[in-house]
Amino acid sequence: MTPQTSPTSQTSPSSPTSSSPQSAAGPRGRVARAVTTRPRLLLLLILLLTAGAVVVGGGVAERMSSGGSQIPGSESSYATAELERRWPASQPNLLLLVSPRDGTRDVDDPAVASAARDLARQLADEEAVLGVVSYWQTEDTALRARDGGEALITARIKGDEDAVDDALEALEPRYRGAHGAVDVRLGGPAAVRHASQEVIADDLVRAEVIALPVTLVLLVVVFGSAVAAALPLLVGIVSVLGTNAVLRVITEFTDVSVYAQNLTTALGLGLAIDYALFLVRRHREELAAGRDPRDAVAVTLRTAGRTVLYSALTVAVCLASMLVFEQYFLRSLAYAGIAVVLISAAASLVALPAALVLLGHRVNALRLPVGRRGGNPGAGWARLARLVMRRAPLFAVGTVAVLLALGLPFKDVRFGTADDRQLPSSTEARLVQEELRNEFPGSPGSALAVLVEGKPAAKALAEYSGEVSRLAHVVQVAGPAGRFVDGKRVDGAPPAVGYVSVLHSAESASPQSVSLVKKIRSVPASFETSVTGPAAVLADTQHGTAERLPWALAVIAVTTLILVFLLTGSVLLPLLTVVVNGLSLTAMFGAVVWVFQDGHLSGALGFTPTGDIETALPVLMFCVAFGLSMDYGVFLVSRIKEEYEIGGDHRDAVVLGIRRTGGLITAAALILAVVMVAIGTSRVTNIKMLGLGVGLAVLMDAMVVRALLVPAVLRLTGRATWWAPAPLRRLQRRVGLEEEARTTYPDIPTRTERPVSGRT
């Protein structure tokens, strides 16, 4: 086969030493010179920064919050703030479940009632507590179990989430357990949130203990050298420590979700290892091609380093898209994600090259009797690529059909919100909530509250309360006009408040409760009403998320198109990348519904299905998984482009690109999947869903989409893949950080030696 000229009219050296890598101009040339001339100074500075990050980031988990799902400015948010300011007892966040100690008496027994009243008075005297209400004070049957064996004391711990957590830690040992004739267990939103934070923190430590040694073993297998294997792992640890410090600083200015630290660990280890793996592999290739260590590092930075830079920018933009949402749950995860991606890229592009310069050829030291030695690296991937390209229509249609079939369960998705069933079944806060669901006519923790404004007449308020009490699933309505059941007044003593409490029997995070909120909001009233409560927050969250989702998708799509164009100079390839990446996520979303919503494999995975999915979680999973898919997509297309510019043959470039990156991408995906599965061992269901779901998406992307769908699609698009109008091509050359060095490798025959595609 006669070699063809590059479509971009670039030439490449015939040998690794035909150019002067360290003398290259441009920003990457300056970085290469800084890294190669002062590696010890750079590593010393990075060591000092890492030590500082350990100090600053210590205790970051204690500064995080587990809330953040409420939409600022929504009806429920407004009503919550007003009720918190004017009638804080309307929204109890602490529940004391009181039961007789001997189990033979009921809650109306004089000794039990006396002990419970003393307990309520003691709780009311606590400085951090207000609005204490008990069954023995009001004789409200909604606060008494149907069998009379248990009853409730409700209270409000004042302050923000941090203050509530601090107060609860002090209250728990004083109120849990035996108190005279009664036993007490603690529940309510504050207890559930506090338990979630403790479980997540413990699970995160276990995940790191699982992931780190397994990752090191896999890296040793990939490299066959203990020294080379340790480098990506060290970069990952630096990235995690650095991001913890950034998160600690962010908590001084805004709320940060407790989920952010899990995301930090997963992405910090995963992406840093991916980038380091990519750079170390390219550096070793340059050494094998005959370059000295400094030149090898310089070329690695200008080729693989460019790819890492584009990959990091793409992943960061995907995660930054969560900033368009109003919930601090998603916004704080965007802060964490952007920080960990940029720190991972910086550590990989600065610390790692400096270490490689100092190590020189010793990067291959401590070879172990594992991993692949000798042979023809990538030959299997080349054979697979040729097979796929020979049957391109079959593989393209078949792969797309399989991916769409795996995603079919997602069409039946039902969105809800997390509750106590996220926790392990033995957790006290969950056991209390289960008692409330199963044994009480309604739970104060899930009640709806209607803020009443405008000073309505007593008759109008009574008519409104009666109308609400007739709605399906409503147990009772209590407010200024009295207590109503099925439209009838059962208690004419109005409380001196400006809100109506709606106790209902529907699950707080269910379609029935959301429907009830909409019905209450549609009940005619001659005064102003605002509905809040768990179901109202869920309804507003669903509406707010759906309203902002198109903007987030637009941010991802537009920026991805721009970045892939700047990387490749192609108009078609960015479009293909977005579509293919979207298809790679179908299996993840299908599995989320089939497993976590519908409950298949719940026994094996150890969680309780609730019949719905946390509303914001699929958004998070999409942004993370799409970004990681782009990570591997950038790795692949950048190498294919490099090969295409060397030889100018489209099919040869695809085969060689897959040959050079197939094993690398698979290894990187396997390592990242290990990290995500370690996160997925969490006992909190949403963390489990996040870890296992994204882990599945990563494996599907690397092993199915990149290995089968991408080469098939590129074979069908042919040379049109690389077309772009002349003005856009000139723009891309100016701002796209084009690679400045090309290398041929002794272990891969050149195109003049063998036609890669099998054509002559």
Side-chain angles (χ1 to χ4, degrees), residues 2 28 39 48 50-51 56 113 118 124 138 193 229 330 358 366 440 481 506 509 546 555 558 653 664 670 703:
T2 303
R28 282 177 295 153
L48 293 175
T50 304
V56 174
D118 290 343
T138 64
R193 183 175 62 249
L330 290 174
L358 291 179
L366 298 181
F440 284 71
V555 168
V558 171
L664 178 66
L670 185 59
M703 297 182 178

Side-chain angles (χ1 to χ4, degrees), residues 724-743:
L728 288 180
R729 173 66 70 179
R730 287 193 293 271
L731 174 65
Q732 188 266 341
R733 287 177 182 171
R734 254 196 320 271
V735 300
L737 297 176
E738 282 288 353
E739 296 171 14
E740 301 150 355
R742 305 284 177 236
T743 307

Side-chain angles (χ1 to χ4, degrees), residues 258-279:
V258 70
Y259 287 77
Q261 201 170 21
N262 294 85
L263 186 67
T264 294
T265 298
L267 291 182
L269 285 175
L271 287 176
I273 288 172
D274 278 2
Y275 297 155
L277 187 66
F278 196 61
L279 292 167

Side-chain angles (χ1 to χ4, degrees), residues 692-708:
L692 298 182
V694 174
L696 174 63
V698 165
L699 291 176
M700 289 295 295
D701 182 77
M703 297 182 178
V704 176
V705 172
R706 305 299 157 196
L708 302 178

Side-chain angles (χ1 to χ4, degrees), residues 672-732:
L672 183 55
V674 165
V675 176
M676 297 307 304
V677 170
I679 296 293
T681 62
S682 173
R683 293 166 292 168
V684 175
T685 306
N686 275 355
I687 300 292
K688 188 186 298 290
M689 187 190 311
L690 174 65
L692 298 182
V694 174
L696 174 63
V698 165
L699 291 176
M700 289 295 295
D701 182 77
M703 297 182 178
V704 176
V705 172
R706 305 299 157 196
L708 302 178
L709 184 58
V710 169
V713 171
L714 292 182
R715 171 66 181 87
L716 294 175
T717 56
R719 291 177 65 90
T721 303
W722 308 104
W723 177 84
L728 288 180
R729 173 66 70 179
R730 287 193 293 271
L731 174 65
Q732 188 266 341

Side-chain angles (χ1 to χ4, degrees), residues 287-482:
L287 290 178
R291 292 192 187 275
D292 67 69
R294 292 180 185 273
D295 282 354
V297 167
V299 173
T300 297
L301 282 175
R302 293 202 310 274
T303 53
R306 174 176 181 261
T307 301
V308 167
L309 178 60
Y310 272 100
S311 173
L313 290 175
T314 305
V315 177
V317 166
C318 290
L319 296 173
S321 66
M322 289 186 287
L323 292 173
V324 307
F325 297 98
E326 297 176 281
Q327 307 99 302
Y328 85 70
F329 167 73
L330 290 174
R331 296 177 69 87
S332 65
L333 291 171
Y335 304 144
I338 294 169
V340 73
V341 171
L342 297 182
I343 291 174
S344 297
S348 300
L349 294 173
V350 178
L352 179 62
L356 291 174
V357 170
L358 291 179
L359 285 171
H361 289 279
R362 288 172 295 179
V363 71
N364 297 316
L366 298 181
R367 287 194 172 273
L368 303 174
V370 294
R372 183 172 54 207
R373 304 285 297 275
N376 191 355
W381 289 101
R383 286 193 296 270
L384 176 61
R386 292 190 199 101
L387 172 63
V388 171
M389 295 177 77
R390 281 198 299 269
R391 301 287 185 271
L394 176 63
F395 277 97
V397 173
T399 305
V400 170
V402 170
L403 291 173
L404 292 177
L406 291 174
L408 279 178
F410 193 71
K411 66 181 177 60
D412 297 320
V413 66
R414 294 184 295 276
F415 294 109
T417 190
D419 59 20
D420 58 280
R421 288 169 292 182
Q422 292 278 313
L423 294 170
S425 58
S426 60
T427 307
E428 180 178 279
R430 173 175 172 173
L431 293 172
V432 170
Q433 297 302 119
E434 288 180 345
E435 286 291 314
L436 297 179
R437 273 193 298 270
N438 298 331
E439 304 299 334
F440 284 71
S443 170
S446 63
L448 297 171
V450 183
L451 176 66
V452 175
E453 298 177 291
K455 297 181 180 180
K459 181 179 179 182
L461 190 54
E463 290 175 351
Y464 175 81
S465 299
E467 188 67 26
V468 172
S469 71
R470 294 188 184 95
L471 298 175
H473 302 295
V474 173
V475 175
Q476 70 171 27
V477 174

